[in-house]
Amino acid sequence: MSGSTMATTPAEGLTREEARRRIDRLRREIRRHDRLYYVLDRPEISDAEYDRLFAELKVLEKAFPDLVTPDSPTQRVAGEPLPAFPEVRHLAPMLSLESVRDPGEVRKFCERARQALGGRPPIFVGEPKFDGLSIECVYEAGHLTRAATRGDGERGEDVTANVRTVRSVPARLRTTPLAAPRLLSARGEAILPVRAFRALNAELAKAGKPVFANPRNAAAGSLRQLDPRVTARRPLDLVFYDILAIDAGPDLATHLDELRALADWGLKVSPLNRRLRSFEAILDYHRDLGRRRATLPYEIDGVVIKIDDLQARERLKTTARHPRWALAFKFEAREQESVIEDIIVQVGRTGVLTPVAILAPVVIGGVTVRRATLHNREVIARKDLRVGDAVRVARAGDVIPEIVERLPRRGARRGRPFVMPSRCPECGTPTIRDGPFDRCPNRLGCPAQVRGALRHFGSRRALDIPGLGPKTVEQLVKHGLVRSVADLFALKESDLAGLEGFGKVSARSLVRAIQTAKRTELWRLLNALGIPGVGERTARDLAAHFGSLEAIRRADEAALLQVKGVGPAAARGIVDFFRTRANRRVVDLCLRRGLTFVQIAPGRGAAGPLRGKTIVFTGSLDTLSRQEAEALVERLGGRAAGSVGRDTDFVVVGKAPGSKLLKARALGIPTLTEKQLLKMAGGRG
Ligand code: IVH
């Protein structure tokens, strides 16, 4: 059964029985694709095809409302906001783990396990320790009937309506190859991907609302929403790692059996789980995940080591709160204490003044932290932060460090409250207040804003100009070579000759990179311009909707509001941007200096094997030219980028590779040979 073979059937003219059969089939099909996409990470159809199936189901259910069932994929978000979460008792206590950092403790744990097995060498299971929110999901006769937070371990909050909105949680268990048990209570962790966490914080900060200190708080905040519609908009995930209770289920003798059964029932389990046979193997696993930590899509704060044999677990029993058959082996802490030595103010590309705390250096997760963002005037006031204060600092993934809280020190004399400057520290222009933010209005003249605009213009999700880093931008602005982004296109090798750090080769390669970037996709330019309210997503939507820059420039607010993803603020931002003479001049100058657009057919490669992946090339390839290789990546649904970063998925390595390969290795990014790339293309290439 494949989505593309199902044509849209109008609801009219169907008998009730025909509609029932069709609805049944659509639901099965949608559930299958949900699992492929959200649980297995292996989609088979494009988003557009999926949307068509979903839309058809909705039409049919509207025409036959009595056929709507609570486990229909359309019912993920249902019901009104709750006044409060009811309290529920868990089917079995949700214990917590003893956590250690010292390998000596792990060795003792291994020895206890051996004793419990009567001297036989124990088998362990290693799992990532997800840093999220522990959740119990109860399935009765295969149907999700309840989901609850951990609470005090005995009782938690009923968050069923919210957990139903999590796409990787099936409303029904799969029944092949294993029949669903009469009752299943499965435990897992609700987590928010680091990328989604950052996007959410950016959105909150923009709206002047408090931001979350880390992805765990963001996941908890998202699940503990009284309005499930809010939860539904957050891309939460739930990874399962334990069976709390089961009735009339299959025979499960080991933890690995349990994990396999959970996966067979359609629940997500981590692909990073491993069978481990010795203390040394546990250390290797801990080291390996510790290294990969920064490149995983989720926050993990250690590994969990569990005894595989369920009978041996019985023999080890449980202490008051912790089972003795499992252990959390944590990584180095991501939080440390420090002192605010100074508060400085930075000016960003949109003119927003951001206060930044200069800290007494502390090492967090192997990285020395010297500064933390303080966001804006209101955040400083709410956390009541002043120079001289002792604070707790957190680093989550590669997110900018945050101050979690001030540490009260009894009797200590505190400094004076911090006051935002009334003039731009870069150009002296009086600032204006904009909600919780202070802004410098000197958009085109303020050197900090010009530098920011240039850096953004050349960034990877904009015009992608490798070599246009912060140092180069600083020099270009300082020497008056570039006053607006359009001046980039007029740069000559000889202009760069005298600049610090530039030789013949680097000057030539920067000019080349700029000339290459002149042929770009429309959405990239739209994102690059830094129009208020227009990020990458909106830029893509605008380009797909209007098809040309001219059409967007001509559009009024009403026309812009027709675009999915464009709200009133973005619509106003776009109109204002193109109404401003100075902006029009810069865009026209770019076009006159040779900026042109390449067309990428919408939806092309949407279901390709590289869908959504970012690929970088280094070195020369044997059979393909760089251009052909990049075109191939696009055909397979991916995107070719100029430089390696954390969002790079693969680096394709040719002959005589450069520093990109070193960077890929440092970040743990997988590499491919040209052969492997061509193999992926298979028949499709
Ligand atoms: S097993 C009785 N496995 O870590 C053992 N927990 O206190 C039950 N966690 O509250 C927990 N990843 O929320 C287990 N792979 C994993 C886990 C995990 C994260 C959380 C869980 C628990 C806390 C430790």
Side-chain angles (χ1 to χ4, degrees):
M1 187 164 54
S2 131
S4 46
T5 58
M6 288 187 159
T8 306
T9 323
E12 305 95 62
L14 283 192
T15 66
R16 191 171 177 288
E17 184 48 30
E18 282 165 343
R20 196 190 57 72
R21 273 207 301 274
R22 180 81 194 139
I23 284 177
D24 213 49
R25 202 165 147 191
L26 281 166
R27 285 182 188 156
R28 253 183 291 138
E29 185 76 347
I30 290 170
R31 282 191 197 111
R32 193 170 83 83
H33 291 300
D34 274 347
R35 174 157 179 273
L36 285 166
Y37 189 96
Y38 293 105
V39 180
L40 303 177
D41 217 0
R42 213 173 54 212
E44 281 179 4
I45 59 172
S46 70
D47 292 355
E49 278 172 275
Y50 179 89
D51 291 346
R52 266 199 296 283
L53 295 175
F54 207 91
E56 190 190 342
L57 178 59
K58 268 185 161 163
V59 168
L60 287 171
E61 288 186 348
K62 199 165 170 203
F64 297 93
D66 59 317
L67 294 179
V68 178
T69 55
D71 63 2
S72 169
T74 59
Q75 301 302 301
R76 282 200 180 268
V77 191
E80 292 294 300
L82 298 167
F85 297 110
E87 213 188 57
V88 286
R89 180 179 275 280
H90 300 304
L91 293 189
M94 289 175 80
L95 304 173
S96 63
L97 294 169
E98 184 190 346
S99 71
V100 303
R101 288 211 166 81
D102 174 10
E105 296 291 331
V106 180
R107 189 188 274 285
K108 282 191 209 149
F109 170 77
C110 293
E111 274 152 23
R112 280 203 306 272
R114 182 187 276 272
Q115 280 163 18
L117 280 153
R120 267 185 299 136
I123 293 176
F124 302 99
V125 181
E127 300 175 2
K129 184 173 184 308
F130 295 102
D131 199 8
L133 185 69
S134 199
I135 297 287
E136 175 196 35
C137 288
V138 178
Y139 285 87
E140 291 173 69
H143 291 257
L144 177 66
T145 50
R146 199 183 80 191
T149 62
R150 177 166 178 271
D152 64 3
E154 297 286 334
R155 293 160 170 281
E157 289 174 323
D158 184 332
V159 287
T160 313
N162 292 348
V163 168
R164 276 190 202 287
T165 71
V166 178
R167 298 308 190 94
S168 58
V169 177
R172 277 163 50 158
L173 297 179
R174 290 165 54 82
T175 48
T176 43
L178 280 183
R182 184 152 46 194
L183 179 77
L184 171 72
S185 160
R187 177 175 180 177
E189 199 85 351
I191 47 184
L192 195 71
V194 177
R195 244 188 231 180
F197 157 73
R198 264 182 259 162
L200 174 63
N201 262 2
E203 198 184 295
L204 289 171
K206 213 165 169 184
K209 294 187 185 147
V211 297
F212 291 108
N214 52 48
R216 171 177 19 103
N217 291 2
S222 301
L223 256 194
R224 299 189 62 261
Q225 282 284 343
L226 291 168
D227 185 349
R229 281 169 301 190
V230 177
T231 310
R233 284 200 297 271
R234 311 259 168 97
L236 284 164
D237 210 342
L238 223 161
V239 187
F240 289 86
Y241 46 65
D242 195 24
I243 291 180
L244 284 170
I246 186 162
D247 182 24
D251 278 341
L252 304 169
T254 67
H255 183 59
L256 286 166
D257 287 346
E258 290 187 336
L259 292 174
R260 205 167 312 117
L262 290 171
D264 282 343
W265 287 321
L267 303 175
K268 190 167 191 162
V269 297
S270 172
L272 299 171
N273 296 342
R274 293 282 180 276
R275 169 187 284 127
L276 304 171
R277 293 176 185 280
S278 65
F279 169 63
E280 287 72 26
I282 293 174
L283 291 188
D284 283 347
Y285 181 70
H286 182 261
R287 199 174 314 121
D288 180 42
L289 284 199
R291 281 206 196 107
R292 291 164 68 180
R293 183 181 187 189
T295 55
L296 294 176
Y298 303 113
E299 273 287 297
I300 63 174
D301 59 352
V303 299
V304 180
I305 306 299
K306 299 174 180 174
I307 294 175
D308 192 35
D309 186 315
L310 300 184
Q311 268 184 1
R313 285 187 182 188
E314 289 292 309
R315 257 171 262 139
L316 274 164
K317 288 287 172 346
T318 304
T319 64
R321 279 180 307 135
H322 312 304
R324 292 163 51 113
W325 47 259
L327 195 67
F329 185 11
K330 303 249 283 189
F331 300 138
E332 209 185 315
R334 287 261 154 139
E335 287 188 356
Q336 290 292 342
E337 290 177 15
S338 181
V339 172
I340 300 181
E341 293 185 333
D342 195 5
I343 297 178
I344 61 164
V345 176
Q346 291 181 337
V347 185
R349 73 177 159 91
T350 57
V352 171
L353 272 58
T354 305
V356 175
I358 305 298
L359 302 166
V362 275
V363 179
I364 312 182
V367 173
T368 305
V369 172
R370 294 196 166 81
R371 19 175 90 203
T373 176
L374 298 172
H375 298 283
N376 57 47
R377 174 177 9 96
E378 283 182 9
V379 170
I380 298 185
R382 191 167 44 235
K383 293 185 179 170
D384 185 21
L385 300 173
R386 303 180 192 182
V387 173
D389 284 346
V391 288
R392 210 148 54 78
V393 186
R395 214 186 113 237
D398 57 353
V399 182
I400 308 162
E402 290 265 353
I403 292 185
V404 182
E405 61 177 358
R406 179 169 71 83
L407 299 167
R409 275 194 188 160
R410 262 203 287 161
R413 274 264 285 287
R414 300 188 63 203
R416 261 181 290 172
F418 175 76
V419 184
M420 283 295 277
S422 58
R423 286 175 178 276
C424 172
E426 289 271 350
C427 68
T429 306
T431 59
I432 48 176
R433 286 199 161 196
D434 182 355
F437 297 99
D438 297 75
R439 197 186 288 279
C440 165
N442 185 12
R443 192 79 191 224
L444 299 170
C446 174
Q449 295 186 55
V450 176
R451 285 197 305 266
L454 282 169
R455 277 204 300 267
H456 176 67
F457 196 74
S459 65
R460 270 162 345 112
R461 306 238 165 241
L463 256 65
D464 190 17
I465 308 175
L468 195 64
K471 283 206 188 98
T472 303
V473 164
E474 166 125 37
Q475 299 254 345
L476 293 175
V477 175
K478 193 166 98 192
H479 293 279
L481 288 167
V482 175
R483 273 184 212 85
S484 81
V485 294
D487 293 342
L488 285 174
F489 299 124
L491 276 182
K492 295 189 294 293
E493 280 174 44
S494 55
D495 295 332
L496 302 171
L499 299 189
E500 196 186 308
F502 269 94
K504 232 189 159 117
V505 178
S506 50
R508 176 170 312 154
S509 75
L510 178 58
V511 171
R512 274 214 191 132
I514 293 171
Q515 294 308 319
T516 308
K518 278 202 314 205
R519 257 173 69 74
T520 190
E521 293 139 76
L522 176 56
W523 71 264
R524 289 183 172 274
L525 177 77
L526 293 171
N527 186 27
L529 288 173
I531 304 169
V534 179
E536 180 186 340
R537 167 96 43 98
T538 312
R540 284 180 186 273
D541 291 343
L542 283 166
H545 184 94
F546 288 102
S548 78
L549 181 61
E550 256 330 289
I552 296 169
R553 285 172 74 148
R554 276 201 310 268
D556 58 13
E557 284 186 38
L560 289 162
L561 284 170
Q562 299 300 309
V563 183
K564 127 181 161 230
V566 173
R572 204 166 325 113
I574 297 163
V575 169
D576 284 349
F577 183 89
F578 287 115
R579 213 179 263 158
T580 307
R581 263 258 294 283
N583 294 335
R584 282 209 310 267
R585 241 192 254 142
V586 168
V587 173
D588 286 337
L589 199 52
C590 285
L591 296 172
R592 245 181 292 135
R593 288 180 171 162
L595 183 80
T596 53
F597 302 110
V598 286
Q599 290 288 337
I600 302 289
R604 178 145 64 139
L610 292 181
R611 167 178 147 135
K613 303 276 188 251
T614 300
I615 280 82
V616 173
F617 291 91
T618 178
S620 56
L621 303 179
D622 285 337
T623 62
L624 297 173
S625 74
R626 189 59 73 84
Q627 239 173 5
E628 287 166 342
E630 291 182 356
L632 176 63
V633 164
E634 245 156 46
R635 264 210 311 282
L636 299 178
R639 189 180 87 79
S643 52
V644 176
R646 289 196 189 281
D647 62 348
T648 306
D649 294 291
F650 296 107
V651 173
V652 178
V653 182
K655 280 214 183 73
S659 62
K660 290 182 209 170
L661 176 59
L662 293 180
K663 182 140 188 222
R665 293 226 170 105
L667 291 174
I669 295 166
T671 57
L672 293 175
T673 60
E674 181 182 5
K675 249 206 191 123
Q676 286 170 314
L677 177 71
L678 288 169
K679 206 162 160 198
M680 276 189 179
R684 303 193 203 213

